[in-house]
Amino acid sequence: MLHTIEEAIADLKAGKAVIVVDDENRENEGDFVALSEKATPDMINFMITHGKGLVCTTIEKDLAEKLDLDLMTSNSSDPFGTAFTVSIDHRSTTTGISAAERARTIQAMLEPSVTGADFKKPGHMFPLIAKDGGVLTRPGHTEASVDLARLSGAFPSGVICEIIKEDGTMARLPDLEVMAEDYDLKLISIEELIRYRSKLESQVAYK
């Protein structure tokens, strides 16, 4: 039931979300993933309505430094090492929580002239810093979304949201397959993304 990385990239470029599942021996969970540069109020509303998890923006370390985004805690006990920074809202927002204002905060983070002074802290968007090396270093949704953005030729940043079922439990692969079919979304695995990147980069190195 899984789609190819190429199919997912094509949908991401077209402004659609995809579903990314990680290894069954890790979190065994699925996230909606979209490109930050394609973030719209409709996209955010879709994620909070059908994903129901925490909407986060994944970024690289350089952008976190540019925006003066310190880690949420310097002594993380998260077993997966998720690098949450302090939460933010763009200064143009009011409460910052609406789909439109969350999309505005995401888009503002990508603007070339943006600085840390352009954001209020804390806020309602949660930046996550991806590890250097992407999924080849850490097989998480944070790194997968940044890798997919790079492979799409987009700004290296993604929007992700965990997918929770109607009963409040986490959606697993069988549930994600149904959701992908219901909403016409591509479903890929981080494991396949690792293979794709490894093959692609070995070909580049060989040439």
Side-chain angles (χ1 to χ4, degrees):
M1 288 294 293
L2 294 180
H3 298 91
T4 67
I5 302 302
E6 291 91 345
E7 288 175 312
I9 290 170
D11 271 17
L12 289 167
K13 287 180 175 180
K16 293 187 66 175
V18 300
I19 299 174
V20 179
V21 62
D22 70 348
D23 190 89
E24 64 181 357
N25 295 316
R26 190 177 181 272
E27 291 180 321
N28 190 25
E29 294 177 2
D31 282 25
F32 287 131
V33 172
L35 301 179
S36 288
E37 67 178 45
K38 301 286 189 181
T40 63
D42 284 346
M43 174 64 70
I44 302 303
N45 193 47
F46 176 84
M47 288 186 173
I48 61 180
T49 300
H50 301 290
K52 298 190 288 292
L54 187 65
V55 179
C56 300
T57 309
T58 62
I59 58 175
E60 295 185 308
K61 181 172 61 177
D62 288 351
L63 182 57
E65 291 173 353
K66 176 184 177 183
L67 300 182
D68 298 321
L69 296 177
D70 296 324
L71 290 175
M72 189 178 288
T73 174
S74 59
N75 187 27
S76 175
S77 57
D78 179 356
F80 297 109
T82 308
F84 276 93
T85 78
V86 62
S87 56
I88 59 174
D89 289 329
H90 188 254
R91 63 183 180 184
S92 67
T93 62
T94 53
T95 62
I97 191 63
S98 70
E101 291 196 330
R102 280 193 260 188
R104 173 62 187 133
T105 296
I106 294 166
Q107 289 286 350
M109 293 173 68
L110 315 187
E111 294 172 358
S113 61
V114 73
T115 70
D118 293 312
F119 297 92
K120 300 176 284 187
K121 305 172 186 176
H124 298 85
M125 278 309 307
F126 296 84
L128 305 174
I129 303 174
K131 295 287 187 186
D132 292 341
V135 294
L136 301 185
T137 300
R138 179 181 181 271
H141 289 97
T142 302
E143 289 70 25
S145 63
V146 171
D147 282 356
L148 287 166
R150 284 195 169 279
L151 290 167
S152 301
F155 190 98
S157 173
V159 185
I160 65 176
C161 177
E162 303 98 336
I163 300 174
I164 301 170
K165 295 196 297 183
E166 292 296 328
D167 64 2
T169 61
M170 301 308 297
R172 307 302 181 190
L173 186 56
D175 310 303
L176 300 172
E177 289 174 340
V178 172
M179 179 169 279
E181 185 172 355
D182 286 347
Y183 294 104
D184 187 29
L185 300 177
K186 300 299 187 292
L187 170 62
I188 61 171
S189 69
I190 292 179
E191 183 180 11
E192 182 56 31
L193 180 58
I194 291 171
R195 284 195 291 266
Y196 181 87
R197 270 200 59 194
S198 297
K199 180 179 179 181
L200 182 66
E201 290 167 30
S202 66
Q203 290 172 342
V204 172
Y206 180 75
K207 290 178 181 178

